[in-house]
Amino acid sequence: MIILSFPNLGFSQNLFLIIIAASAALAGVAAACSDGQCRLLDECSSNQDCEAGLYCFSCPPGFPGSRCVRSTVTNQFKLLNNSLPFNKYAFLTTHNAYAIDGYPSHTRVPRITFTNQEDSIMDQLNNGVRGLMLDTYDFRGDVWLCHSFKGHCHDYTAFGPAIDTLKEVEAFLSAHPAEIVTIILEDYVRAPNGLTRVFTDAGLMKYWFPVTNMPENGQDWPLVNDMVQNNHRLLVFTSIQSKEASEGIAYQWNYMVENRCKKYKQS
Ligand SMILES: *[C@@H]1O[C@H](CO)[C@@H](O)[C@H](O)[C@H]1NC(C)=O
């Protein structure tokens, strides 16, 4: 699994994998339960079996059968208040947030690629996700979200135009004026100002956290409260270093660290 963090902060990218890892150790001790009595990682046969905040899910790589897993996260600003620096909180982040089961083909070609999420972007946000990892490509004269290789999007690996997803983020930020969303781009867009255009068209520039306000060298971020007051509620990071100077989009590795693990290495 991958953990991304702002300096001083565990930025858990895939909490769900942690839950799966924990469940492997518990296999075999599940007790029979039903009617909303089943607790985290108990065996279940329907969503109704599970306690509030859980649902019944099967995940063959993680555990046999079906078990109750979390459907929502605890709001960190209710656990505490929002008066601390942004980097003192942890936020659930979805990897390949756009690669959603059943996402309709937008190219008229059936998609041949894997998916990573069951929830729509709006459901992810409503369920507590506050970080979205998206892969952006030049495609059909626009910016698209795509699973691909060698930086080229194909009809059979494309999910959809980025603007559709970004408009969902705009709708969420507009409806939740105290929430902050982070977008982390694996960015293959080479069109000059391509990203700037699509974020502008999605109505997101009014929430943009300016790169000049981002702390470097492990210093604290602004207070969440102040970010909310200033409407600096959208943080965007790109994997293309030159865009920080050319478009004012933060270069991810100037502000984030990633732990080392077997499968993924810090770039
Ligand atoms: C927020 O929580 C911190 C830590 O518990 C506390 O010191 C502070 O007074 C609280 N601020 C407000 C405005 O409630």
Side-chain angles (χ1 to χ4, degrees):
M1 68 155 288
I2 308 166
I3 299 280
L4 279 171
S5 64
F6 292 102
N8 307 331
L9 170 68
F11 192 92
S12 177
Q13 183 183 92
N14 205 333
L15 185 61
F16 188 66
L17 283 183
I18 301 174
I19 295 170
I20 290 170
S23 76
L26 295 174
V29 298
C33 56
S34 61
D35 289 335
Q37 304 291 309
C38 298
R39 305 177 70 176
L40 189 65
L41 301 176
D42 282 350
E43 285 181 353
C44 51
S45 52
S46 74
N47 291 345
Q48 286 69 38
D49 289 344
C50 302
E51 282 185 338
L54 306 179
Y55 73 115
C56 194
F57 186 66
S58 84
C59 182
F63 47 75
S66 296
R67 290 171 187 267
C68 297
V69 298
R70 289 190 203 286
S71 55
T72 56
V73 299
T74 306
N75 183 330
Q76 51 277 63
F77 305 129
K78 289 191 174 136
L79 274 183
L80 193 61
N81 54 39
N82 71 354
S83 65
L84 298 181
F86 180 70
N87 53 294
K88 300 293 184 188
Y89 303 85
F91 301 94
L92 182 66
T93 299
T94 42
H95 187 213
N96 293 334
Y98 62 93
I100 299 164
D101 288 349
Y103 198 80
S105 167
H106 285 61
T107 62
R108 297 171 181 273
V109 172
R111 205 166 38 239
I112 310 173
T113 187
F114 55 93
T115 56
N116 300 74
Q117 309 298 334
E118 291 91 41
D119 286 352
S120 69
I121 292 291
M122 188 56 86
D123 286 346
Q124 291 176 39
L125 293 167
N126 284 333
N127 284 335
V129 169
R130 292 292 176 271
L132 302 170
M133 303 185 85
L134 305 176
D135 298 356
T136 43
Y137 288 78
D138 291 311
F139 189 60
R140 298 187 168 194
D142 201 350
V143 176
W144 279 55
L145 304 179
C146 197
H147 254 166
S148 210
F149 34 87
K150 295 193 176 169
H152 293 287
C153 184
H154 302 277
D155 282 341
Y156 59 92
T157 62
F159 279 81
I163 187 141
D164 295 351
T165 294
L166 296 180
K167 280 183 171 170
E168 288 189 79
V169 175
E170 198 285 328
F172 178 81
L173 287 171
S174 163
H176 299 90
E179 296 295 338
I180 297 172
V181 172
T182 300
I183 294 178
I184 301 166
L185 301 176
E186 186 176 321
D187 189 5
Y188 300 97
V189 173
R190 298 285 166 184
N193 295 314
L195 285 184
T196 298
R197 191 174 333 111
V198 72
F199 277 97
T200 302
D201 290 349
L204 283 169
M205 296 313 289
K206 57 183 174 289
Y207 306 116
W208 195 269
F209 187 101
V211 70
T212 47
N213 291 18
M214 291 191 183
E216 291 189 69
N217 307 317
Q219 288 163 330
D220 277 343
W221 281 67
L223 308 181
V224 167
N225 216 353
D226 291 341
M227 292 169 67
V228 168
Q229 295 302 318
N230 292 326
N231 212 25
H232 290 162
R233 300 192 290 120
L234 178 68
L235 281 67
V236 181
F237 298 92
T238 170
S239 55
I240 298 180
Q241 190 160 15
S242 61
K243 288 191 184 177
E244 184 159 318
S246 64
E247 294 188 58
I249 304 175
Y251 173 55
Q252 174 176 18
W253 302 120
N254 285 345
Y255 308 96
M256 281 182 196
V257 294
E258 186 176 31
N259 68 319
R260 282 175 182 271
C261 58
K262 276 184 201 152
K263 204 168 160 195
Y264 296 90
K265 285 188 187 145
Q266 184 170 336
S267 47

